[in-house]
Amino acid sequence: VLFASPLTAMKEVIASKDSSSIYAPFAIVQTLNCLLWLLYGLKIWDVWVYGPNATGLGLAIIQLALLLIFPAKNSGTLAAKSA
């Protein structure tokens, strides 16, 4: 559930062509976390470790792809908004 929860915004990101609803630092850390656990799970050959993390890595890569394909649109600076 943790891995897929940010993907609930995927339809919105594709429709608006704006990935501002995806938190980039979380997507990057999730990718790194899943990759490391996947490698560890493969090293000890434990399906209960590498299985969920392989799925999580795939979902994290989708998030990163959406961030790259549809960059966040800046709606202006805070000073411009308050003026």
Side-chain angles (χ1 to χ4, degrees):
V1 173
L2 173 68
F3 297 141
S5 61
L7 291 177
T8 57
M10 186 168 60
K11 182 178 178 183
E12 176 188 334
V13 169
I14 294 170
S16 66
K17 298 185 187 325
D18 178 18
S19 66
S20 60
S21 61
I22 297 176
Y23 188 55
F26 179 78
I28 294 167
V29 170
Q30 178 183 349
T31 304
L32 196 62
N33 177 53
C34 289
L35 177 63
L36 292 174
W37 276 108
L38 173 67
L39 292 174
Y40 175 72
L42 290 173
K43 181 175 174 52
I44 64 170
W45 200 249
D46 187 349
V47 71
W48 297 106
V49 177
Y50 71 75
N53 286 291
T55 303
L57 181 61
L59 294 171
I61 289 172
I62 291 171
Q63 288 180 59
L64 290 178
L66 287 173
L67 284 166
L68 292 173
I69 294 168
F70 305 116
K73 296 177 182 171
N74 293 334
S75 57
T77 62
L78 184 58
K81 288 181 183 178
S82 62

